[in-house]
Amino acid sequence: MQTNPSHTSLVALGDSFTEGMSDLLPDGSYRGWADLLAARMAARTPGFRYANLAVRGKLIQQIVDEQVGTAVAMQPDVITLVGGLNDTLRPACDMVRVRDLLTEAVERLAPSCKQLVLMRSPGRRGPVLERFRPRMEALFTCVDDLAARHGALVVDLYGAPSLGDPRLWDVDRLHLTAEGHRRVAEAVWQSLGHEPEDAEWHVPMALTPPPGWAARRVADVRFARRHLLPWIGRRLTGRSSGDGRAPKRPELLPLEGAELLPYEGPSA
């Protein structure tokens, strides 16, 4: 791996994880690990260009159909691809089809950039992870195999003890907090060969007293009402949270002004 490489452009593909949910900015938009990573890379390289094609809720077929061709045409130095996890969370999931589509995406993307980055997505500890763990791990086995065949980097977020901590996940239990996204950005930064800014990003947070039984039940009810039931409703009606949404940054353009400034928001 090249040490402290000089990359001039980055294109990020994927779903809500790469869009940046739930790293909320004061203006109501989302930041996320990809934006953080791009800002760091831009600080080293004047004129650095960045595009983020990710849209929440996208399945791997949609990523292939709507994002891969655009990224290939951009010919950036670095492409990140995280997809397929939404598929594994669907009741009816054809893992052979997911593998085939992910393979198609990697085979098209790898020749079009200097470095393709894949990830083993993080998983929040709890019953949801246990239910879908076999599918997730099948997906990650495919990611590892494709990376070995095509010279891609794999960032292992699934194996990082810190990112399983429920305190690094938003109240919807599906998306990382600002601190979680910061740690992901650090992981990718180091995987690309840069000197660590936080060598202990993977280390678990200090233990704190767990919430009491009553507080947990209140949180469960709030989660079910605000997040679980709407999610089930979308599944039953064939809708997606990303329907009608455009990519957050569809053009490969230089970062400038406020985009280069870190937001010192809540850390967890």
Side-chain angles (χ1 to χ4, degrees):
M1 183 187 302
Q2 182 181 359
T3 302
N4 290 322
S6 178
H7 295 121
T8 64
S9 53
L10 166 69
V11 176
L13 287 72
D15 50 35
S16 59
F17 174 68
T18 301
E19 183 184 343
M21 297 174 71
S22 292
D23 184 3
L24 193 64
L25 293 171
D27 65 0
S29 64
Y30 291 110
R31 181 183 55 172
W33 65 265
D35 287 12
L36 289 168
L37 176 66
R40 280 197 197 181
M41 297 171 78
R44 288 177 172 264
T45 307
F48 182 87
R49 297 175 300 150
Y50 169 53
N52 190 322
L53 307 179
V55 177
R56 67 195 69 173
K58 293 299 181 182
L59 303 174
I60 187 62
Q61 178 74 72
Q62 294 169 307
I63 293 172
V64 170
D65 292 345
E66 301 168 14
Q67 300 178 26
V68 169
T70 301
V72 168
M74 290 175 172
Q75 296 283 300
D77 283 354
V78 179
I79 293 177
T80 66
L81 169 65
V82 187
L85 199 61
N86 281 336
D87 297 79
T88 69
L89 300 178
R90 297 295 177 103
C93 174
D94 183 346
M95 287 305 298
V96 173
R97 183 169 180 270
V98 171
R99 182 198 64 201
D100 290 346
L101 287 165
L102 189 60
T103 299
E104 177 186 345
V106 170
E107 288 178 345
R108 293 171 61 188
L109 292 168
S112 70
C113 63
K114 293 181 180 178
Q115 184 62 69
L116 178 62
V117 179
L118 308 176
M119 298 187 201
R120 294 162 57 91
S121 303
R124 180 186 185 274
R125 290 196 299 270
V128 174
L129 175 63
E130 293 308 315
R131 178 179 178 183
F132 295 102
R133 187 187 295 275
R135 290 181 182 175
M136 292 173 62
E137 294 187 348
L139 177 67
F140 300 153
T141 296
C142 179
V143 166
D144 291 342
D145 292 344
L146 289 170
R149 284 159 45 193
H150 296 278
L153 294 176
V154 177
V155 183
D156 185 12
L157 306 173
Y158 180 70
S162 63
L163 293 177
D165 191 327
R167 292 172 295 174
L168 289 183
W169 293 76
D170 191 43
V171 293
D172 66 3
R173 306 181 183 182
L174 288 174
H175 301 108
L176 292 169
T177 62
E179 173 62 13
H181 279 282
R182 184 197 68 79
R183 291 179 184 236
V184 173
E186 178 67 32
V188 183
W189 173 258
Q190 292 183 29
S191 295
L192 286 170
H194 295 287
E195 289 294 325
E197 294 187 12
D198 176 10
E200 298 186 344
W201 69 267
H202 57 286
V203 176
M205 295 167 54
L207 294 176
T208 58
W213 182 89
R216 295 198 304 272
R217 298 295 78 76
V218 169
D220 288 342
V221 171
R222 184 181 298 117
F223 160 72
R225 183 174 64 250
R226 295 184 181 178
H227 303 287
L228 180 60
L229 292 177
W231 183 85
I232 293 173
R234 290 194 297 271
R235 299 291 80 76
L236 293 175
T237 57
R239 294 178 292 117
S240 167
S241 57
D243 288 348
R245 289 187 176 272
K248 67 184 297 184
R249 191 180 175 90
E251 298 182 72
L252 187 59
L253 296 173
L255 288 172
E256 55 187 22
E259 295 176 304
L260 297 172
L261 299 176
Y263 166 57
E264 301 298 338
S267 60

